[in-house]
Amino acid sequence: MEEKPFWVALQQAPGLGARRVLQLVKFFGSPRAAWQAPEKELLALEGLGKAATSLINWRRQVTPEKIMAKLEKTGIGVLILEEDTYPLELKRIYDPPPVLYWRGSQLPGEGLKIAIVGTRRATVYGLKVATELAAGLAAAGAGVVSGLARGIDAAAHRGAIQGKGLTWGILGCGVDVIYPPEHRQLYHQVMDHGAILSEFPPGTPPDAGHFPARNRIISGLASGTVVVEAAARSGALITADLALEQNRDVFAVPGPVTSRYSEGTNELIKQGARVVTGVADILAEYEPQSLWPLSRQESQVEVALTAAEEKVMAALSVMPTHLDTIMATTGLPPGELNTALLQLEIRKLIRRLPGGFYLRC
């Protein structure tokens, strides 16, 4: 942890970027050594170019200690690549951000995380699907990752919150910059149900060039990326491409062939993306033990179950099961089955998901 201030100081140097920071650290052996490297060595380093001069000037203006003191004063957390709390999935991508800034209540640690992305100009259909998928994933114990943008991103975060789960917003600006501004309330809700993260230093404005870099973090954090709605040329498709490069799963929600905002998703399906018509299509690809620990869910109490309730519990697992399957398995009449499901849901022993699915808590 003694190297942390030097990681942050290097990462904030204008003109360096994640890849150059990692190259510097590798060449000199440590962030401290890279920060303290003689000017002649920096200027002679192949591939650094103008960034060497920029780093030299930056070192004359700041100290690592002052940078860290300012972050601490503003309540912004910092993760560096070497820390155990740095997301393991992100460590494994080609160009992980050496530094992540964050604000919130819970970092993205172990457990299944799914990214949900799509167009900012979402249709009613797209917003409904994104919300329901995120709510179902969250209720099942999977975390939801998105970009806090307008449209599908916002619907995904709101759905995860409705499902009483975890969600993380990845920004293309500083974590202290709320963008778009109308998402102020959602921004704070995401902080309460997870965290806001960014590789860009605090105060960085939302520049268009930042978002492709932001997208690699969204896909890199998640085991799979779901594209809900996307035009033929869309940032969401960039995220899907990045997911493939990172050896992650790519899912797509089919849409009307007459909608321009389904052109991208329908094309992904043609190219082999897994079709999603409900949350069960996503969860079926992952092991139940990859879901978030139930200890973070509502605490359970021992209760006596009726014979019908015991049959229902025996028919369910932590993976979603459709109502028709429950009825066939238990053999219960519709009225008795509905009563048992309602009582179990009230006691928080099971959860109801969109589309007529249920799972055990």
Side-chain angles (χ1 to χ4, degrees):
M1 297 305 294
E2 293 178 358
E3 297 287 331
K4 192 169 192 172
F6 298 97
W7 272 114
V8 178
L10 284 171
Q11 190 267 350
Q12 291 196 9
L16 272 189
R19 293 184 184 179
R20 285 199 180 107
V21 169
L22 293 172
Q23 288 170 357
L24 279 171
V25 172
K26 183 178 181 180
F27 182 83
F28 289 104
S30 73
R32 182 192 297 267
W35 179 261
Q36 297 174 345
E39 293 184 8
K40 288 184 178 180
E41 290 189 32
L42 288 172
L43 291 169
L45 196 59
E46 186 177 352
L48 205 54
K50 294 180 180 179
T53 303
S54 178
L55 174 57
I56 291 168
N57 292 333
W58 177 247
R59 295 192 308 185
R60 294 169 180 167
Q61 299 172 39
V62 301
T63 66
E65 293 76 18
K66 286 184 178 179
I67 292 175
M68 295 302 293
K70 184 177 180 180
L71 288 169
E72 186 175 350
K73 185 177 180 180
T74 55
I76 294 173
V78 179
L79 287 175
I80 61 171
L81 196 57
E82 296 177 334
E83 285 185 272
D84 292 339
T85 48
Y86 189 100
L88 182 60
E89 299 90 345
L90 212 52
K91 285 186 179 183
R92 293 172 174 168
I93 70 172
Y94 169 67
D95 53 349
V99 174
L100 280 174
Y101 303 92
W102 69 283
R103 298 180 70 188
S105 56
Q106 183 159 339
L107 288 168
E110 296 180 2
L112 179 64
K113 294 176 285 294
I114 299 295
I116 298 180
V117 297
T119 180
R120 289 172 171 81
R121 300 178 179 180
T123 66
V124 173
Y125 164 77
L127 295 174
K128 178 178 174 62
V129 171
T131 301
E132 290 187 354
L133 287 177
L137 287 168
V144 175
V145 183
S146 199
L148 210 75
R150 298 180 179 98
I152 297 300
D153 288 19
H157 291 302
R158 291 189 175 106
I161 293 166
Q162 289 176 20
K164 299 180 181 179
L166 294 168
T167 186
W168 299 278
I170 316 302
L171 304 186
C173 53
V175 293
D176 57 341
V177 178
I178 299 176
Y179 180 80
E182 65 266 26
H183 283 176
R184 178 172 296 275
Q185 182 180 7
L186 180 60
Y187 173 97
H188 289 287
Q189 289 175 333
V190 171
M191 284 178 57
D192 291 339
H193 291 81
I196 304 291
L197 300 100
S198 175
E199 69 175 317
F200 299 102
T204 302
D207 185 82
H210 296 166
F211 290 95
R214 181 277 306 263
N215 292 347
R216 89 187 191 287
I217 299 177
I218 292 176
S219 58
L221 266 177
S223 297
T225 293
V226 183
V227 183
V228 176
E229 276 190 321
R233 300 181 67 178
S234 166
L237 299 184
I238 295 175
T239 309
D241 288 340
L242 290 166
L244 288 172
E245 290 176 11
Q246 295 162 343
N247 197 29
R248 305 295 199 264
D249 299 322
V250 174
F251 303 86
V253 174
V257 295
T258 54
S259 171
R260 62 179 297 234
Y261 297 114
S262 293
E263 289 178 4
T265 50
N266 290 342
E267 183 61 30
L268 282 175
I269 292 169
K270 289 180 185 178
Q271 295 173 5
R274 304 175 194 192
V275 179
V276 171
T277 59
V279 69
D281 295 328
I282 304 169
L283 292 177
E285 300 293 330
Y286 303 101
E287 296 295 329
Q289 57 265 33
S290 68
L291 299 176
W292 286 80
L294 292 178
S295 58
R296 70 163 300 277
Q297 315 259 347
E298 295 89 342
S299 59
Q300 308 297 327
V301 293
E302 292 295 327
V303 292
L305 301 180
T306 65
E309 291 167 353
E310 287 181 352
K311 287 183 178 181
V312 171
M313 290 297 286
L316 295 176
S317 71
V318 294
M319 297 300 288
T321 304
H322 195 267
L323 179 61
D324 292 343
T325 304
I326 301 171
M327 183 177 294
T329 303
T330 61
L332 294 171
E336 191 174 355
L337 175 59
N338 288 333
T339 299
L341 288 169
L342 178 61
Q343 291 301 317
L344 291 170
E345 188 178 359
I346 290 172
R347 284 178 281 180
K348 295 185 172 61
L349 295 176
I350 66 172
R351 282 191 176 176
R352 178 162 51 98
L353 307 180
F357 289 89
Y358 291 81
L359 53 78
R360 293 181 65 160
C361 294

